Amino acid sequence: MSDKKAFRAEILHCLGDPGEHADATQVEYFADGLLIVEDGHVAGLGDAEALLPGLADDIELIDQRGNLICPGFIDCHVHFSQVDIIASYGEQLLDWLNRYAYPAEQRFSDAQHADEVANFFTDELLRNGTTTALVFPTVHEESVDAIFSAASKRNMRLLSGKILMDQHCPEAVRDDAESAYSVSRRLLEKWHGKGRLGYALTPRFAVTSSEAQLAAVGKLAAEFPDVHIHTHLAENHEEVDLIAKQFPWSRSYLDVYDHFGLVRERSVFAHCLHLDDKDRERMANSGSAIAFCPTSNLFLGSGLFNLRSARESGIRVGLATDVGGGTSLNMLRTMSEAYKVLHLESQSLPGIRALYLATLGAAEALYMDDKIGNFATGKEADFVVLNYAGAQITTRRLAKAEDIAEKLFALIMLGDDRNISATHVMGQKV
Ligand code: GUN
Ligand code: ZN
């Protein structure tokens, strides 16, 4: 017997990128909507009054009126191993890595520690309405098993893969070119395509990989064309200068990855603050994607991401928290900072486009838009139930909002985990 449910609420999702002018043809909104879920997949969506009379007798009706249902949020770049150093004071990227990130990551050779943090992290994602993430673990095999096991237990769609780093970092978080290949391959064969999980080849960034290691990653990438590739790119000026010295033959930072066959569909590059037009053209024509990390870029003093030129160049872009460089796992908080970053650059970010970047746009960036990102029939029913209450000033402001655009924007500016009433993974409340 199939499991059928219908959720009645205000419902909002994107059909495409609404752009800087909030193109209404890319959005679907039901003031009194019904989302029908059968065996974990979307089976229908529309106005409640039109759909209710035709519902089968055995369907469970869940009344969420007064709340807003949106697709589950997708975090395109986050480090689960950095939850204990979020909000650490005073450094820019390279010093921050040495002072905070590497010492914290060292502890993940301990499987028990890795499991405890992975369970906390995945619970926290779900509590914040995030149903899918592309996750950096650490260099340790234990950390990869921990994050995939935690996601699997919760039936989450999640991507991860062992960090590869064989130079310019402490011994305790260092591997080598050979084990980068053999251990990645073993983990990939163990986890890729298991349930809702996928593997991502994860060289940390070109600073911490030798050419031999990058070549090993390129070999794996060629052998497994359907896995993701996940790394950092052009985040910080000092980092970009180091890359130019380390790879004097390269035209640009992106060119280093390209040289080793790592720029392609399903490659996701976090940050991308310091690109030129040639880089953008190459990213667009290769089908690779950018993870836009506004809270991290502000917190680490890295710079302001240019969303307009990325999108005008035709590059896929998804939103990301980048915790622990980022300051919140909550995608509403992240959308709010994205708005402010773009505002500083005289670019617009309507609420609905912010939602796009955290749902369908992110799914497109990860090449998962055939499965998640909106409520098209047949997609996996991952969704979040948002409430218009939360903090006192949020409740007060939202009560004054006159339409969905105003409500959504104020919810993004003011909202936090108090505004997440429930998260559903394949239709099941978690
Ligand atoms: N570049 C290389 N490693 C990291 C990391 O852990 N965080 C951020 N924000 N950038 C990086
Ligand atoms: Zn990062």
Side-chain angles (χ1 to χ4, degrees):
M1 214 181 78
S2 66
D3 175 30
K4 289 185 231 159
K5 296 190 190 92
F7 298 85
R8 185 174 187 177
E10 224 178 330
I11 301 176
L12 179 67
H13 72 151
C14 292
L15 307 173
D17 184 357
E20 287 196 49
H21 305 292
D23 177 357
T25 66
Q26 301 303 320
V27 182
E28 216 172 16
Y29 169 67
F30 302 96
D32 179 14
L34 199 70
L35 174 66
I36 303 169
V37 177
E38 196 168 333
D39 292 331
H41 293 81
V42 176
L45 174 71
D47 279 315
E49 291 202 349
L51 292 176
L52 281 169
L55 283 188
D57 292 339
D58 59 346
I59 200 162
E60 182 187 356
L61 185 62
I62 296 144
D63 192 344
Q64 296 281 2
R65 276 176 290 180
N67 296 296
L68 173 67
I69 289 182
C70 292
F73 300 137
I74 300 169
D75 187 340
C76 287
H77 173 74
V78 58
H79 300 249
F80 96 84
S81 51
Q82 294 178 1
V83 292
D84 291 336
I85 52 143
I86 188 172
S88 291
Y89 179 78
E91 307 288 2
Q92 288 212 352
L93 177 64
L94 300 175
D95 294 324
W96 176 86
L97 287 171
N98 285 313
R99 182 161 168 198
Y100 301 116
Y102 297 153
E105 291 183 20
Q106 200 173 313
R107 297 188 58 200
F108 286 74
S109 58
D110 173 356
Q112 220 177 335
H113 176 67
D115 282 334
E116 189 276 320
V117 180
N119 283 312
F120 170 82
F121 171 81
T122 40
D123 280 343
E124 196 62 10
L125 285 189
L126 292 170
R127 212 176 57 74
N128 280 282
T130 298
T131 48
T132 283
L134 172 55
V135 182
F136 257 70
T138 69
V139 72
H140 313 97
E141 202 166 341
E142 293 81 356
S143 74
V144 181
D145 286 334
I147 189 65
F148 278 136
S149 300
S152 180
K153 253 191 261 168
R154 292 158 181 81
N155 197 27
M156 294 175 75
R157 189 164 277 293
L158 185 135
L159 300 165
S160 191
K162 179 187 132 53
I163 297 193
L164 311 169
M165 45 199 296
D166 66 347
Q167 62 175 20
H168 302 152
C169 59
E171 178 78 45
V173 289
R174 198 183 305 164
D175 58 5
D176 56 53
E178 224 164 79
S179 66
Y181 181 89
S182 58
V183 179
S184 294
R185 191 178 177 119
R186 178 162 74 235
L187 287 166
L188 188 163
E189 284 168 346
K190 178 171 178 186
W191 292 108
H192 185 61
K194 186 174 173 199
R196 303 184 79 201
L197 307 176
Y199 202 82
L201 300 171
T202 309
R204 180 176 208 117
F205 62 158
V207 172
T208 47
S209 284
S210 64
E211 296 202 10
Q213 182 166 80
L214 291 171
V217 186
K219 184 163 185 277
L220 276 169
E223 288 167 349
F224 297 94
D226 68 326
V227 302
H228 283 73
I229 296 168
H230 183 200
T231 188
H232 297 90
L233 172 65
E235 174 178 6
N236 168 285
H237 284 298
E238 255 186 274
E239 170 207 16
V240 174
D241 291 346
L242 259 183
I243 293 295
K245 288 200 191 89
Q246 195 174 319
F247 304 92
W249 49 263
S250 64
R251 194 202 69 81
S252 69
Y253 195 160
L254 180 72
D255 189 42
V256 174
Y257 294 129
D258 210 4
H259 180 84
F260 293 101
L262 304 178
V263 179
R264 66 172 195 192
E265 291 182 2
R266 292 184 190 78
S267 295
V268 181
F269 297 97
H271 308 290
C272 300
L273 302 181
H274 314 294
L275 302 181
D276 62 17
D277 287 344
K278 265 206 161 132
D279 291 331
R280 276 187 277 268
E281 193 188 321
R282 177 63 188 135
M283 290 194 77
N285 72 31
S286 63
S288 55
I290 295 175
F292 171 21
C293 311
T295 72
S296 168
N297 296 338
L298 293 172
F299 182 73
L300 294 176
S302 303
L304 305 178
F305 176 64
N306 190 336
L307 179 64
R308 187 183 291 161
S309 40
R311 290 299 287 165
E312 282 180 359
S313 307
I315 304 171
R316 294 162 189 254
V317 179
L319 198 61
T321 65
D322 192 32
V323 162
T327 50
S328 174
L329 283 175
N330 186 283
M331 292 303 276
L332 296 171
R333 308 289 346 108
T334 308
M335 292 179 218
S336 166
E337 298 307 290
Y339 171 84
K340 295 169 203 169
V341 162
L342 296 167
H343 214 32
L344 275 170
E345 301 174 282
S346 303
Q347 298 183 26
S348 305
L349 185 65
I352 189 65
R353 195 189 209 192
L355 182 71
Y356 165 79
L357 291 174
T359 56
L360 183 61
E364 289 165 353
L366 301 180
Y367 286 80
M368 289 180 162
D369 51 305
D370 58 330
K371 298 186 182 69
I372 53 173
N374 68 6
F375 297 132
T377 302
K379 286 201 189 180
E380 296 164 352
D382 288 351
F383 61 91
V384 54
V385 183
L386 296 151
N387 68 70
Y388 292 119
Q392 302 220 1
I393 194 160
T394 313
T395 311
R396 184 182 170 100
R397 173 65 182 91
L398 288 169
K400 304 276 189 299
E402 287 180 358
D403 58 24
I404 182 63
E406 188 181 347
K407 273 200 288 193
L408 179 65
F409 184 72
L411 186 61
I412 287 170
M413 287 305 120
L414 301 171
D416 55 32
D417 54 351
R418 285 169 285 191
N419 296 95
I420 313 293
S421 285
T423 303
H424 291 251
V425 170
M426 294 199 79
Q428 299 293 331
K429 188 171 169 177
V430 288

